[in-house]
C-alpha cells in the first residue's frame, strides 16, 4: 500500500518540491526542502526540524480556534493545565520512540510528514488534520491515554497528511472534492457503521486502518480488526464500485487497500511500510 510506504513518500515529496520550486532536492536536502515548501502553504512556518508541540494559547492553537478548524476536536474546549501540557509533551515524545521501535520506517514516515502537533483539552478526544495545513496535527488526548494511544493518533494523522501530499502530487480523484459530497458519489465509511460519506472522506477513513491494526497486532491485540473487519471490507466494495472516480494513481491505492481487506495479513502492512514493490510510481502512466 503506497500510502504507507516511506520510500514512496520520499519520492512523492521530492517530486512535489521539484514541481513547486523548479528543482528536486537531494535525499539529504529533502527534510528541509519539505518544511520550506509547506511553510508557503500555511499561515505559520514549519519548525526547522522535529515535531513542535504547542497548545491553545500558542499561535497555532489561537489560529485553529479562531478559524474553527478541526471543530470536532475543539468542541467543549477548555484551558489545559501546566501539568497536562508537560505530560502530553512527554507522552508524545515517547509515542514517537514507541512507533520507531515498533516499525522504524513507520516512525520515519511520521517524522517526515508531521511538523507540528497542537494539543487541546476538549470534550471530544482524538486527532485531526487537513489538506490545507500540511504538517499540522491537532490532538485532544483522553484522560486514560497511554503512550500507544498517542502513537496511534499520531500515525493516524500522519497517514492522512501523506495521502494529502500524494493527492497534491498525482491527483487521486477525477472530480473536484466539492463534487464528491454529492449523494451519488458517497460510500459507506470504514469506521462509522452504515454512514455514507463523500468519496474522498470514505477513502481516508479506510487508509488509516491498516497501520493502526498492525500496531495493535504487534501488541497482541485484535480489537480494531475484530471491530472494523466488515465495515472496512464494505467500504472498499463501495470504492471499487466507484473506481472510475479515481485517477490511475488513485485506482492503484484502492486496489492495494483491497488486497489487504481480502486477507487482513499484517505482514502485508509491514511490507507496505518498507517494501520496494510499493516504493515507486511511474508518473508517465498517469
Amino acid at each position: 500500500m503506497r500510502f504507507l510506504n516511506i520510500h514512496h513518500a520520499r519520492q512523492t515529496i521530492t517530486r512535489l518540491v521539484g514541481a513547486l520550486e523548479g528543482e528536486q532536492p537531494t535525499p539529504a536536502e529533502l527534510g528541509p526542502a519539505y518544511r520550506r515548501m509547506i511553510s508557503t502553504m500555511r499561515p505559520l512556518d514549519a519548525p526547522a526540524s522535529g515535531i513542535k508541540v504547542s497548545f491553545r494559547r500558542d499561535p497555532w492553537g489561537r489560529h485553529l480556534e479562531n478559524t474553527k478548524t478541526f471543530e470536532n476536536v475543539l468542541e467543549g474546549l477548555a484551558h489545559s493545565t501546566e501539568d497536562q501540557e508537560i505530560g502530553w509533551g512527554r507522552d508524545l515524545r515517547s509515542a514517537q520512540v514507541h512507533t520507531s521501535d515498533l516499525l522504524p520506517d513507520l516512525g520515519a514516515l511520521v517524522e517526515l510528514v508531521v511538523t507540528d502537533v497542537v494539543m487541546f483539552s476538549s470534550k471530544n478526544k482524538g486527532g485531526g488534520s487537513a489538506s490545507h495545513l500540511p504538517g499540522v496535527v491537532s490532538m485532544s488526548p483522553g484522560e486514560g491515554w497511554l503512550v500507544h494511544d498517542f502513537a496511534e493518533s499520531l500515525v493516524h494523522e500522519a497517514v492522512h497528511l501523506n495521502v494529502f501530499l500524494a493527492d497534491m502530487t498525482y491527483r487521486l480523484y477525477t472530480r473536484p472534492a466539492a463534487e464528491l459530497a454529492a449523494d451519488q458519489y458517497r460510500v459507506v465509511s470504514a469506521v462509522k457503521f452504515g454512514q455514507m460519506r463523500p468519496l474522498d472522506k470514505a477513502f481516508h477513513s479506510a487508509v488509516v486502518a491498516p497501520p493502526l491494526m498492525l500496531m495493535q497486532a504487534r501488541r497482541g491485540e485484535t480489537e480494531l480488526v475484530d471491530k472494523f473487519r466488515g465495515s472496512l471490507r464494505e467500504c472498499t466494495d463501495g470504492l471499487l464500485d466507484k473506481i472510475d472516480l479515481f485517477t490511475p494513481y488513485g485506482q492503484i491505492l484502492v486496489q492495494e487497500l483491497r488486497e489487504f481487506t481480502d486477507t487482513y495479513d499484517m505482514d502485508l502492512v509491514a511490507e507496505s511500510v518498507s517494501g520496494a514493490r510499493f516504493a515507486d510510481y511511474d508518473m508517465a502512466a498517469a
Side-chain angles (χ1 to χ4, degrees):
M1 291 170 275
R2 282 166 175 78
F3 51 83
L4 301 179
N5 190 271
I6 181 60
H7 310 296
H8 184 61
R10 290 171 179 151
Q11 180 184 77
T12 297
I13 293 171
T14 297
R15 287 170 168 171
L16 185 57
V17 171
L20 295 177
E21 297 191 351
E23 185 175 350
Q24 291 190 353
T26 67
E29 298 167 339
L30 183 59
Y34 165 70
R35 289 165 184 262
R36 183 176 64 247
M37 175 190 72
I38 65 172
S39 292
T40 68
M41 305 175 182
R42 322 179 328 176
L44 298 167
D45 288 347
S49 62
I51 296 177
K52 181 178 180 180
V53 178
S54 57
F55 305 98
R56 182 183 181 184
R57 66 180 178 278
D58 296 319
W60 266 122
R62 296 197 303 271
H63 174 78
L64 297 178
E65 184 177 1
N66 291 338
T67 57
K68 297 182 179 179
T69 307
F70 309 129
E71 286 189 84
N72 61 314
V73 174
L74 300 181
E75 183 180 346
L77 194 61
H79 288 287
S80 50
T81 67
E82 182 179 359
D83 286 346
Q84 278 181 314
E85 293 174 0
I86 291 171
W88 290 342
R90 179 194 62 234
D91 288 341
L92 191 73
R93 289 189 293 273
S94 297
Q96 290 177 255
V97 174
H98 171 81
T99 304
S100 295
D101 287 347
L102 204 63
L103 212 63
D105 282 338
L106 189 58
L109 180 66
V110 170
E111 292 170 7
L112 176 61
V113 302
V114 179
T115 63
D116 297 85
V117 175
V118 193
M119 314 281 273
F120 295 98
S121 176
S122 66
K123 177 182 176 181
N124 287 342
K125 309 305 180 184
S129 52
S131 59
H132 68 287
L133 294 175
V136 179
V137 169
S138 69
M139 194 178 294
S140 176
E143 291 183 8
W145 276 23
L146 302 175
V147 167
H148 66 254
D149 297 303
F150 283 87
E152 289 175 14
S153 183
L154 192 57
V155 167
H156 178 131
E157 302 307 334
V159 173
H160 283 313
L161 292 174
N162 194 40
V163 173
F164 291 142
L165 292 168
D167 195 15
M168 289 182 202
T169 307
Y170 308 115
R171 294 189 62 82
L172 288 174
Y173 316 102
T174 58
R175 294 179 179 272
E179 291 186 22
L180 298 178
D183 287 346
Q184 66 266 35
Y185 303 141
R186 289 179 173 253
V187 173
V188 174
S189 169
V191 294
K192 297 183 178 180
F193 299 117
Q195 181 176 325
M196 303 295 288
R197 302 194 72 192
L199 182 78
D200 56 332
K201 291 180 171 56
F203 178 67
H204 269 269
S205 76
V207 296
V208 298
L212 302 187
M213 290 176 173
L214 174 62
M215 293 174 79
Q216 288 200 353
R218 292 286 174 96
R219 297 200 312 273
E221 297 182 14
T222 62
E223 178 187 1
L224 281 178
V225 173
D226 296 341
K227 188 173 183 179
F228 296 114
R229 178 188 296 270
S231 61
L232 185 56
R233 178 61 181 258
E234 187 177 4
C235 180
T236 57
D237 282 344
L239 296 173
L240 287 170
D241 286 344
K242 294 178 172 57
I243 197 72
D244 59 309
L245 295 172
F246 288 88
T247 63
Y249 177 80
Q251 290 178 16
I252 290 173
L253 300 192
V254 172
Q255 290 159 354
E256 289 174 349
L257 179 64
R258 182 48 174 260
E259 181 183 355
F260 170 68
T261 63
D262 280 342
T263 62
Y264 289 94
D265 180 0
M266 297 304 157
D267 289 338
L268 173 61
V269 184
E271 182 194 359
S272 296
V273 172
S274 302
R277 77 171 168 120
F278 297 105
D280 298 314
Y281 176 64
D282 182 2
M283 290 185 70

